[in-house]
Amino acid sequence: MNQITEPQPKEDEAEPQTATETEARHEATGRNIDAIFGVKLDVRVVLGRAKLPISEILNLSKGSVIELDRKVGDPVDIMVNDRMVARGDLVKVRGGMIGVALREIVKDFVTD
């Protein structure tokens, strides 16, 4: 006589019962990402770019204007560790400071 049993979850698919068990399981499998949340990354906002010969750079002084490859109102690029992850608009925030309001997240910044 065949006995019907419910399929048992694999060991790595079993649901832990407590938060402590979950934490221990994640640490054991190397999937605990909490350790990286405090890692600081270099975030830059790029207003535009320009290429200048060294002779022009040496002639720069206070009040010089460098023409960029963007127009007023164009979005700025948000770079994380030298990789563009988003575009946004410059905005004025409290105390006369400026910030960036995100307009678009670049979908292909994550590589496989």
Side-chain angles (χ1 to χ4, degrees):
M1 171 188 250
N2 290 342
Q3 184 177 3
I4 300 175
T5 60
E6 291 187 27
Q8 297 295 318
K10 294 178 184 175
E11 187 174 317
D12 62 341
E13 294 176 353
E15 292 293 324
Q17 299 299 316
T18 66
T20 305
E21 288 175 5
T22 302
E23 192 174 288
R25 180 172 168 255
H26 284 235
E27 286 177 7
T29 60
R31 296 189 324 188
N32 187 352
I33 64 168
D34 293 339
I36 67 169
F37 286 154
V39 175
K40 294 185 180 188
L41 300 175
D42 181 32
V43 178
R44 296 177 189 199
V45 176
V46 180
L47 299 173
R49 302 177 196 281
K51 284 191 175 189
L52 300 172
I54 293 174
S55 60
E56 284 187 40
I57 293 172
L58 293 173
N59 287 328
L60 293 175
S61 62
K62 185 176 180 179
S64 295
V65 175
I66 299 173
E67 188 174 329
L68 302 176
D69 62 351
R70 305 265 175 97
K71 296 179 181 170
V72 174
D74 282 353
V76 296
D77 295 337
I78 293 93
M79 312 285 287
V80 174
N81 287 353
D82 294 326
R83 174 172 244 152
M84 185 170 66
V85 297
R87 290 186 186 89
D89 298 316
L90 294 178
V91 294
K92 182 179 177 183
V93 293
R94 66 181 181 278
M97 304 293 282
I98 60 171
V100 178
L102 296 183
R103 172 191 284 192
E104 169 189 7
I105 304 295
V106 177
K107 298 291 184 195
D108 61 349
F109 76 90
V110 177
T111 58
D112 293 327

